[in-house]
């Protein structure tokens, strides 16, 4: 390996992405690597140019690598949002909104059924009420 060549792991660290993502970029033709004994090597100049070209498109913080657990559900969601396109983000946000609205409707229906049961069967205790006694 020449001194101006970088390994997949080194490129991943420079770009703030996982090594697997580097291999995907190479497979798609966005990065041009040289194989030697089954390993990929990239020119330092190419990676520096690519990093400069894509710096506005990348998240402010590097993508987390395998083995680092998200601190919360929100972190996990943010990692996902940093790795997908704006169109995919909009679709996911819309789907999340639909799920939240559905949950609210289901909760309201459950409360309504509970009220209906209490009117229909005023002397009837639910199983939960019986166990509390």
């Amino acid at each position: 390996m020449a001194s101006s060549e970088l390994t997949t792991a080194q490129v991943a660290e420079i770009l703030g992405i996982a090594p697997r993502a580097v291999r995907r970029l190479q497979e798609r033709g966005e990065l041009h690597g040289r194989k030697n004994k089954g390993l990929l090597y990239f020119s330092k100049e190419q990676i520096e140019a690519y990093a400069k070209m894509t710096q506005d498109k990348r998240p402010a913080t590097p993508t987390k690598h395998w083995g680092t657990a998200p601190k919360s559900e929100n972190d996990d969601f943010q990692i996902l949002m940093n790795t997908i396109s704006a169109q995919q983000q909009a679709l996911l946000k819309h789907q999340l909104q639909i799920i939240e609205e559905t949950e609210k409707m289901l909760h309201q229906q459950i409360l309504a059924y509970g009220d209906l049961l209490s009117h229909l069967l005023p002397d009837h205790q639910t199983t939960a009420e019986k166990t509390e006694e």
Side-chain angles (χ1 to χ4, degrees):
M1 177 174 92
S3 63
S4 66
E5 288 187 320
L6 302 169
T7 65
T8 302
Q10 291 170 320
V11 171
E13 189 171 329
I14 291 168
L15 297 179
I17 59 177
R20 185 173 180 174
V22 173
R23 289 188 292 277
R24 282 193 207 120
L25 289 171
Q26 188 270 334
E27 289 167 3
R28 291 193 311 239
E30 293 183 47
L31 294 177
H32 302 285
R34 176 183 71 81
K35 282 194 177 184
N36 184 11
K37 297 181 183 176
L39 299 175
L40 274 173
Y41 296 97
F42 302 87
S43 78
K44 187 174 183 178
E45 295 78 22
Q46 173 197 196
I47 300 308
E48 288 171 350
Y50 183 83
K52 189 173 186 175
M53 179 182 74
T54 60
Q55 71 185 9
D56 294 334
K57 297 177 185 176
R58 288 183 287 146
T61 57
T63 304
K64 294 187 179 186
H65 297 283
W66 263 80
T68 54
K71 292 179 182 162
S72 72
E73 217 174 274
N74 216 12
D75 289 345
D76 204 20
F77 181 74
Q78 194 57 48
I79 291 168
L80 174 65
M81 296 305 274
N82 288 342
T83 60
I84 62 176
S85 71
Q87 184 179 14
Q88 290 170 321
Q89 286 182 26
L91 180 62
L92 280 175
K93 286 179 182 178
H94 179 69
Q95 289 172 334
L96 183 60
Q97 185 179 16
I98 290 171
I99 290 168
E100 288 171 348
E101 290 171 4
T102 303
E103 286 176 340
K104 287 177 187 176
M105 285 187 340
L106 287 171
H107 182 71
Q108 290 172 347
Q109 287 178 346
I110 290 169
L111 292 176
Y113 286 131
D115 289 344
L116 179 64
L117 280 175
S118 66
H119 289 336
L120 292 174
L121 307 166
D123 295 333
H124 178 61
Q125 290 181 327
T126 65
T127 307
E129 291 170 339
K130 287 180 184 176
T131 56
E132 288 177 3
E133 292 179 351

